[in-house]
């Protein structure tokens, strides 16, 4: 027997999540009959029927939990988590012969069963990693590689639990490399290497300054997809998504070159402000010159917003006692964007400020085009008038 997707009649029949441009994907449904049978086949566990659900109990605890007949993938993972917390242990399935390696199609039902083969000392599953894999699967970014699923000589799953959990949530069949019968001490050296970041992907593609480029693209993706007040949540962004952002905004490569005029200011934040200012102007010429001026500090007047901004990062923030406390690079990307965008807009509109400050409930204003009363202290394009900008 195996866990199966529940089949409904008529037009409601569902074997995998369906999606459209306007609707959320439909979550697949799974029968829990095999789950209950597997659990209660182990000594110390028993179940009883209560209407349309089962009650699972263990001899070593007074706690029990109820399992409905049908659940979503997310609910299935929650029940497996409860099960392991009750000290449930999979029954060994001894592997005979030499270790094997093959490429196989694994259905969502197979994935459900494999998730009941995790040894008790396996590392804790991370929800964020599962969410990241599930997002990649929904966007059809899944790639079959040599890194897949692995089980030891006892039949316990040692590698692949996050991929399988995501697959159960999404409800699609995937091809994996599957290793079986691996010696137990082999897993002491698994996942010990350094994780490859997005910067490696862009460097391999020949991009220059790949680290800052990938960081700026990630911030631009956040800017396009989520409001500022939700940026505290760490949204997983795949390499394919970042490549799509770069395809839409190829000019950001130039902003990366100009991106950090002042030390201690987040390079990804200042890069994004430069790019947004370039979009506002229709040209990078004025942002380029302003960023160069921020770097040198030349030709500023005392209350110019650019000079105030520069002094804030280089000299620190004024305290109540009239001296400066150093700025130690503790500024978040949002704070740096707020400071740079505000200084840019004040320069565009001719408003002088004594101090630049990021308050608790800050945001990032829309960047403006230089107006006739601008405070830019360098030759403007052509005749120098702001209305000559594209």
């Amino acid at each position: 027997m195996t866990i199966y997707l529940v089949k409904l009649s008529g037009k409601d029949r569902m074997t995998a999540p369906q999606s459209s441009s306007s609707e959320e994907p439909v979550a697949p449904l799974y029968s829990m009959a095999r789950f209950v049978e597997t659990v209660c086949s182990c000594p110390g566990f028993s179940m009883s029927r209560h209407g349309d659900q089962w009650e699972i109990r263990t001899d070593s605890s007074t706690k029990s939990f109820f399992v409905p007949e049908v659940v979503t993938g997310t609910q299935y993972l929650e029940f497996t988590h409860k099960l392991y917390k009750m000290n449930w242990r999979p029954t060994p399935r001894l592997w005979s012969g030499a270790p094997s390696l093959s490429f196989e199609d694994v259905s969502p039902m197979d994935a459900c069963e494999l998730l009941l083969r995790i040894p008790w000392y396996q590392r804790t599953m991370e929800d964020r990693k599962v969410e990241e894999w599930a997002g990649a699967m929904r966007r059809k970014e899944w790639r079959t590689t040599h890194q897949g699923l692995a089980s030891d000589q006892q039949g316990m799953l040692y590698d692949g639990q996050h991929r399988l959990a995501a697959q159960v949530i999404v409800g699609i069949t995937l091809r994996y490399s599957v290793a079986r019968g691996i010696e137990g001490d082999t897993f002491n050296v698994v996942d010990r290497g350094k994780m490859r970041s997005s910067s490696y992907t862009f460097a391999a593609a020949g991009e220059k300054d790949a680290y800052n480029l990938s960081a700026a693209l990630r911030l631009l993706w956040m800017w396009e997809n989520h409001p500022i007040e939700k940026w505290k949540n760490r949204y997983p962004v795949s390499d394919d998504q970042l490549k799509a952002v770069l395809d839409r905004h190829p000019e950001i490569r130039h902003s990366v070159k100009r991106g950090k005029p002042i030390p201690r200011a987040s390079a990804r934040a200042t890069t994004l402000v430069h790019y947004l200012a370039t979009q506002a102007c229709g040209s990078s010429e004025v942002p380029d010159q302003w960023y160069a001026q921020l770097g040198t500090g030349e030709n500023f007047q005392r209350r110019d917003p650019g000079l105030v901004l520069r002094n804030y990062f280089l000299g620190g923030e004024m305290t109540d006692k009239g001296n400066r406390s150093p700025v130690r690079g503790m500024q978040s990307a949002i704070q740096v964007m707020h400071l740079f965008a505000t200084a840019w807009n004040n320069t565009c509109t001719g408003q002088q400020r004594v101090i630049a400050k990021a308050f608790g409930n800050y945001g990032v204003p829309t960047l403006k085009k230089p107006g006739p009363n601008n405070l830019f202290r360098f030759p403007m394009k052509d005749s120098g008038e702001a209305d000559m900008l594209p």
Side-chain angles (χ1 to χ4, degrees), residues 27 31 34 84 87 114 130 139 150 205 211 264 297 299 357:
S31 167
R34 177 59 177 165
Y84 283 106
N87 295 320
L114 286 168
V130 173
R139 296 188 299 271
Y211 178 83
R264 299 175 181 165
N299 299 322
K357 176 70 177 179

Side-chain angles (χ1 to χ4, degrees), residues 3-6 29-35 69-71 76:
I3 296 178
Y4 51 88
L5 286 172
V6 174
L29 300 178
Y30 299 91
S31 167
M32 294 298 282
R34 177 59 177 165
F35 176 93
E69 291 184 341
V70 179
V71 298
Y76 184 88

Side-chain angles (χ1 to χ4, degrees), residues 336-350:
V336 174
M337 287 185 65
H338 167 88
L339 292 168
F340 268 70
T342 301
W344 167 269
N345 285 346
N346 289 340
T347 305
C348 288
T349 58

Side-chain angles (χ1 to χ4, degrees), residues 254 258 261 274 278 283-300 344 376-382 389:
H254 175 77
R258 306 286 184 177
H274 181 281
T278 297
S283 166
S284 67
E285 184 169 351
V286 175
D288 282 355
Q289 294 183 78
W290 191 63
Y291 266 50
Q293 190 179 19
L294 288 175
T296 64
E298 297 178 355
N299 299 322
F300 277 126
W344 167 269
F376 292 106
R377 309 294 183 180
F378 44 77
M380 299 290 282
K381 186 174 182 181
D382 294 331
L389 288 169

Side-chain angles (χ1 to χ4, degrees), residues 312 317 331-332 334-335 338-339 355-363:
Y312 176 77
E317 182 181 358
Q331 313 290 355
S332 71
I334 302 176
Q335 287 176 308
H338 167 88
L339 292 168
I355 189 170
K357 176 70 177 179
F359 296 97
N361 296 322
Y362 47 76

Side-chain angles (χ1 to χ4, degrees), residues 132-282:
E132 184 176 348
W133 277 116
M137 292 173 186
R138 291 190 184 102
R139 296 188 299 271
K140 303 185 184 303
E141 295 173 5
W142 172 262
R143 305 288 187 273
T144 301
T145 72
H146 65 287
Q147 293 178 305
L149 312 178
S151 57
D152 68 359
Q153 295 169 324
Q154 305 294 314
M156 301 300 175
L157 180 71
Y158 268 85
D159 197 15
Q161 61 172 339
H162 291 88
R163 299 176 181 90
L164 292 170
Q167 183 183 359
V168 169
I169 292 175
V170 177
I172 58 176
T173 296
L174 297 173
R175 170 152 287 210
Y176 292 94
S177 62
V178 181
R180 295 185 176 88
I182 306 300
E183 295 182 5
D185 59 359
T186 302
F187 293 95
N188 294 332
V189 297
V190 172
D191 292 335
R192 294 292 186 179
K194 183 179 180 180
M195 292 290 292
R196 288 184 175 86
S197 64
S198 298
S199 62
Y200 284 92
T201 302
F202 286 105
E207 296 290 347
K208 299 186 184 301
D209 200 358
Y211 178 83
N212 286 324
L213 175 62
S214 62
L217 289 172
R218 185 177 297 273
L219 198 62
L220 180 53
W221 183 89
M222 293 287 292
W223 178 265
E224 291 183 327
N225 291 278
H226 296 285
I228 292 289
E229 57 268 21
K230 294 187 177 181
W231 281 19
K232 291 183 179 179
N233 298 325
R234 296 185 63 189
Y235 295 95
V237 187
S238 69
D239 289 353
D240 286 353
Q241 287 175 294
L242 295 182
K243 289 177 183 176
V245 175
L246 183 59
D247 289 341
R248 294 194 303 272
H249 304 278
E251 299 87 359
I252 199 172
R253 293 183 177 93
H254 175 77
S255 293
V256 171
K257 297 178 184 178
R258 306 286 184 177
K260 190 172 182 179
I262 307 176
R264 299 175 181 165
S266 166
R268 58 177 180 155
T270 56
T271 294
L272 182 53
V273 172
H274 181 281
Y275 181 66
L276 296 175
T278 297
Q279 288 186 313
C281 293

Side-chain angles (χ1 to χ4, degrees), residues 101-121:
L101 179 64
S102 60
F103 287 88
E104 303 174 17
D105 290 332
V106 176
S107 70
M109 302 79 79
D110 298 329
C112 284
E113 189 161 335
L114 286 168
L115 287 171
L116 295 178
R117 308 294 307 162
I118 300 174
W120 66 270
Y121 43 84

